[in-house]
Amino acid sequence: GTSRGNIFSFVVARRFAHGWSAQAIFTKGRALDALSSNDNGVGSGERVIDVANINKQWGRADYDVRNRLVLDGVWEIPTPFRSGVLKQVLGNWHISATAIFQSGLPFSVYTSASYPTGDYNGDGYNYDQPNTPAFGNFVSASRSDFLNGVFSRSDFPVPQKGQPGNLGRNTFEGPGLANVNTSVIKAVHIPWFTGPEGATFELRGEIATLFNRVNLSAPTSDLSSALFGKSTGQGRP
């Protein structure tokens, strides 16, 4: 198999006054292949519709993320104390945060049912795709749409018996990801610990998924499932 990818990244970083520093990284990418190493958790060898024309499945790779924005910043909290115990207690505090926003991963609509409700091309293998719905091979959906059902079985026409469907692979896009992590760090200098340079003792507190946002997984895309079109799980935070 072959794959092709094109990636563009743009980075802006700056250190501000009063202990502020910030960075933004935007990545625009496109990854295409006929079979990814792992299609939706199932071995890619089980996702071939037509073994005589594998390149007919050429489309977005399973790991294709079109847009990704990462923001991170650090603030060194100032202290008015120049020396003494208060500087040791109130000085050298840092707050940092990282935010990640990215578009969703692609997924394929298919059926695992047997002939005649599935296996449209009649090859004895119950993995086939339907015809393209009237609204095309793209749908814009909110998080509530994915929870309630982004589309229904009736949206997808059944091809003629013995014929494969014309809906392509990985044509739809699942829910996006948004995640914010933050940490608070206190550094304490220990001058007598390891020679003239001393050492640094660090206290760190971290909060992952600060806003406790659930990042939905792709919806169930098997037409034979009663949960078709609904996101029933979550991805990694």
Side-chain angles (χ1 to χ4, degrees), residues 13-137:
R14 181 172 180 180
R15 183 178 295 276
F16 300 90
H18 309 294
W20 277 98
S21 63
Q23 178 176 258
I25 305 172
F26 176 73
T27 302
K28 181 77 174 180
R30 184 180 68 172
L32 303 172
D33 62 16
L35 282 173
S36 297
S37 59
N38 192 19
D39 278 326
N40 301 324
V42 179
S44 57
E46 300 178 22
R47 295 291 187 181
V48 177
I49 296 177
D50 184 358
V51 295
N53 186 11
I54 294 179
N55 283 332
K56 185 179 179 181
Q57 300 183 175
W58 184 266
R60 295 181 63 181
D62 294 349
Y63 48 84
D64 179 37
V65 174
R66 291 296 170 88
N67 301 289
R68 179 180 173 93
L69 175 65
V70 179
L71 306 172
D72 63 77
V74 179
W75 180 36
E76 183 178 352
I77 303 176
T79 175
F81 302 102
R82 299 290 183 178
S83 61
V85 176
L86 289 178
K87 180 187 176 183
Q88 292 295 323
V89 174
L90 301 178
N92 295 325
W93 284 92
H94 298 77
I95 296 178
S96 66
T98 302
I100 301 172
F101 307 95
Q102 72 179 36
S103 54
L105 293 169
F107 65 93
S108 300
V109 171
Y110 68 97
T111 177
S112 63
S114 57
Y115 188 85
T117 56
D119 187 17
Y120 303 131
N121 59 7
D123 63 355
Y125 176 56
N126 301 340
Y127 179 82
D128 288 80
Q129 291 173 329
N131 282 338
T132 303
F135 54 78
N137 56 11

